[in-house]
Amino acid sequence: MAMTPHVLIVAGSDSSGGAGMARDVETVSAFGLRSCLAVTAVTVQTHAAVEHIEQMPPELIAAQMRAAFAANPVAAVKIGMLGTAAAVQAVCSVLAANREVPVVLDPVLASTSGRVLLEDHAIDVLRRDLMPVCRLVTPNLIELATLVGTEPAKDEEGACVQGEDLLATVRTAVLVKGGHAHGGHANDVLLQPDRRAVRVEAPRVDRGMRGTGCVLSSAIAASLAQGLPLEAAVRGAKRHVLEHLRGAR
């Protein structure tokens, strides 16, 4: 067990099991790896709404991360809900001592039902301090627009322009997710510094399942932990989400 690569999941819990840490652990396990955990928040939620949130103290988040690194061969980190600027800074403090480990950030800004999950003033801290040390950031169209300070893009071309703006600011790879777009396809676009854009195509599956962003980012982190290059990790994760949706349907 100790020699099996681990993915450190830094995220909030979801009492419904539909998103957050529950989805992350499930996904990492599907890739044959083990998870270790740093809980950032405990939420009370159903599949319809987030009813209550208790944020973990920043020093407790950092302590959990340090213990996970000390106990296990952590080969990748997946970060989800953080909640506060202090939590973002706590996470950054631990990652600074573990720079060789690839980090995938799913910038969770709000729940599917619309509940704010990251303080407004924490967005600048996330963009300035955390994103530059990540291997990949995976915003959906709404999150991407918020991160660059504009309205959500109306098409893929507009989304890619916003993604390039974010890429230029944080200088780390950005996966522009098309799940919130319209049409028969849910295509994502991988943008990397000094490389051509790569479209990752998939048909749209009409299934109102929560947590697909958690599944995607965790699958990418698991693939990076197994040593795959970033583009291959993204493509494999996209296939995994598609199979997951088809199975759920």
Side-chain angles (χ1 to χ4, degrees):
M1 180 185 303
M3 297 304 295
T4 302
H6 283 56
V7 175
L8 170 55
I9 297 165
V10 183
S13 71
D14 175 353
S15 52
S16 74
M21 197 164 272
R23 287 287 194 200
D24 296 329
V25 172
E26 172 188 272
T27 302
V28 170
S29 178
F31 280 74
L33 304 182
R34 297 188 62 84
S35 302
C36 45
L37 311 174
V39 182
T40 60
V42 175
T43 72
V44 178
Q45 58 182 301
T46 65
H47 294 305
V50 179
E51 299 173 359
H52 185 72
I53 300 173
E54 286 288 338
Q55 305 286 354
M56 294 296 102
E59 60 273 16
L60 181 58
I61 297 172
Q64 290 177 84
M65 292 179 67
R66 286 193 294 267
F69 274 111
N72 305 296
V74 175
V77 179
K78 179 271 163 91
I79 302 174
M81 176 185 174
L82 292 174
T84 67
V88 175
Q89 292 167 336
V91 169
C92 289
S93 71
V94 179
L95 294 180
N98 299 276
R99 294 186 182 277
E100 74 285 357
V101 179
V103 179
V104 178
L105 171 64
D106 181 9
V108 179
L109 306 184
S111 68
T112 302
S113 61
R115 176 72 176 261
V116 173
L117 300 179
L118 182 68
E119 298 171 340
D120 283 345
H121 69 277
I123 294 175
D124 287 340
V125 181
L126 190 78
R127 189 172 46 225
R128 183 193 68 218
D129 296 340
L130 182 54
M131 289 186 181
V133 302
C134 294
R135 184 69 183 87
L136 179 69
V137 181
T138 65
N140 61 36
L141 297 183
I142 298 169
E143 292 162 345
L144 178 59
T146 301
L147 290 168
V148 298
T150 187
E151 294 297 315
K154 300 186 184 306
D155 52 31
E156 184 178 296
E157 182 180 359
C160 287
V161 170
Q162 293 181 359
E164 293 284 2
D165 287 346
L166 182 61
L167 175 67
T169 300
V170 302
R171 297 301 296 171
T172 195
V174 176
L175 183 65
V176 178
K177 299 187 296 188
H180 284 72
H182 302 287
H185 288 79
N187 298 332
D188 299 342
V189 180
L190 176 62
L191 306 172
Q192 302 181 73
D194 306 317
R195 295 194 181 187
R196 63 177 179 82
V198 176
R199 180 183 288 107
V200 184
E201 299 182 352
R204 186 175 300 280
V205 178
D206 292 327
R207 171 67 182 175
M209 189 181 80
R210 296 172 54 239
T212 52
C214 303
V215 175
L216 180 66
S217 54
S218 295
I220 295 170
S223 296
L224 292 176
Q226 293 173 322
L228 269 66
L230 182 58
E231 183 178 335
V234 169
R235 291 188 182 279
K238 187 74 170 177
R239 287 193 298 270
H240 179 79
V241 172
L242 181 60
E243 292 167 2
H244 202 75
L245 285 168
R246 286 172 169 166
R249 185 176 63 180

